[in-house]
Amino acid sequence: AQSVTQPDIHITVSEGASLELRCNYSYGATPYLFWYVQSPGQGLQLLLKYFSGDTLVQGIKGFEAEFKRSQSSFNLRKPSVHWSDAAEYFCAVGAITGANNLFFGTGTRLTVIP
Amino acid sequence: ETGVTQTPRHLVMGMTNKKSLKCEQHLGHNAMYWYKQSAKKPLELMFVYNFKEQTENNSVPSRFSPECPNSSHLFLHLHTLQPEDSALYLCASSQEGGPNTGELFFGEGSRLTVL
């Protein structure tokens, strides 16, 4: 069965510190992988995506993620967190067949302290 | 501004009311979606429309009724809801069949409270 696990419900980091959000997936076919961010009172916004090719993908706002097939992981990273990065982050896995087959994780809430 | 607009942003309704949520996308996409977002749960896909045709209905109760009159507009009609239907309802669109297949653009959501 397809599933996405984000093991950290809530993470707190200091501004300027590095960040890594974990995502593990279970998927029967070649996965398409996404990270979305949701600021308070907003909808979800795509940060980055992996379809194929280079396993290290760059996204908006200075985020990057690395696809590791052997570990079924797609962790999100940022070298230096800004206060405006405080939000909820969702990992999602899907298939080439389209967004109607997209599975989302339960999200990780990021708090940034000054 | 994501190009997907939802109204109303907030809605409070009684269990016997009838109301509708509206979504409009200005991106020229060919697919639109309704998702339900509840605390501590993954996003739940409710309905999918590709080229105005409904292609998915993930066992959603009949008290939720979607309508897609054209490729830019999507409605969710609500009637005789239950308190457990209180949630954030997100509309999204995507361009399926090309290099951006699977990439969703979300509206800001309609926060629904059922009393």
Side-chain angles (χ1 to χ4, degrees):
Chain A
Q2 296 88 343
S3 66
V4 177
T5 302
Q6 293 180 248
D8 303 305
I9 296 173
H10 185 201
I11 284 183
T12 299
V13 300
S14 298
E15 191 168 16
S18 63
L19 172 70
E20 182 170 30
L21 302 182
R22 295 183 290 166
C23 172
N24 293 95
Y25 67 89
S26 173
Y27 203 72
T30 301
Y32 283 17
L33 294 157
F34 305 81
W35 274 100
Y36 285 85
V37 61
Q38 184 177 32
S39 298
Q42 304 292 313
L44 281 71
Q45 180 186 18
L46 181 68
L47 279 177
L48 48 78
K49 62 186 179 185
Y50 171 78
F51 282 4
S52 65
D54 192 347
T55 56
L56 184 64
V57 294
Q58 303 297 321
I60 62 172
K61 306 184 181 185
F63 284 92
E64 66 177 27
E66 186 171 11
F67 170 54
K68 293 186 177 180
R69 184 185 300 274
S70 61
Q71 299 177 20
S72 297
S73 69
F74 189 57
N75 294 348
L76 182 71
R77 300 194 294 251
K78 186 170 184 177
S80 178
V81 170
H82 188 262
W83 64 267
S84 61
D85 294 324
E88 187 125 23
Y89 292 79
F90 294 89
C91 181
V93 62
I96 192 172
T97 50
N100 53 321
N101 290 311
L102 209 57
F103 293 87
F104 285 85
T106 50
T108 297
R109 184 158 64 91
L110 174 65
T111 297
V112 180
I113 56 177
Chain B
E1 184 63 47
T2 64
V4 180
T5 304
Q6 289 187 242
T7 54
R9 294 291 310 276
H10 299 273
L11 178 63
V12 179
M13 58 187 289
M15 293 168 60
T16 58
N17 292 157
K18 287 186 179 181
K19 298 286 185 182
S20 296
L21 307 181
K22 178 183 176 182
C23 176
E24 182 175 2
Q25 59 102 354
H26 311 276
L27 301 168
H29 287 167
N30 57 14
M32 296 186 76
Y33 311 78
W34 281 116
Y35 281 88
K36 178 182 179 182
Q37 186 177 31
S38 305
K40 306 290 191 287
K41 296 175 68 175
L43 262 68
E44 299 174 50
L45 178 62
M46 300 175 71
F47 300 104
V48 180
Y49 279 83
N50 271 323
F51 300 97
K52 302 187 300 176
E53 300 294 322
Q54 184 175 311
T55 58
E56 297 281 339
N57 175 352
N58 290 340
S59 303
V60 179
S62 59
R63 56 186 184 269
F64 295 92
S65 174
E67 178 189 1
C68 188
N70 55 61
S71 58
S72 298
H73 293 85
L74 185 64
F75 295 88
L76 187 63
H77 302 301
L78 317 169
H79 64 99
T80 59
L81 294 191
Q82 304 298 310
E84 60 264 29
D85 297 321
S86 299
L88 182 68
Y89 289 85
L90 291 165
C91 175
S93 70
S94 68
Q95 183 61 27
E96 296 298 296
N100 296 319
T101 290
E103 182 176 332
L104 292 167
F105 290 76
F106 285 87
E108 294 180 326
S110 294
R111 172 69 63 185
L112 172 66
T113 302
V114 181
L115 302 177

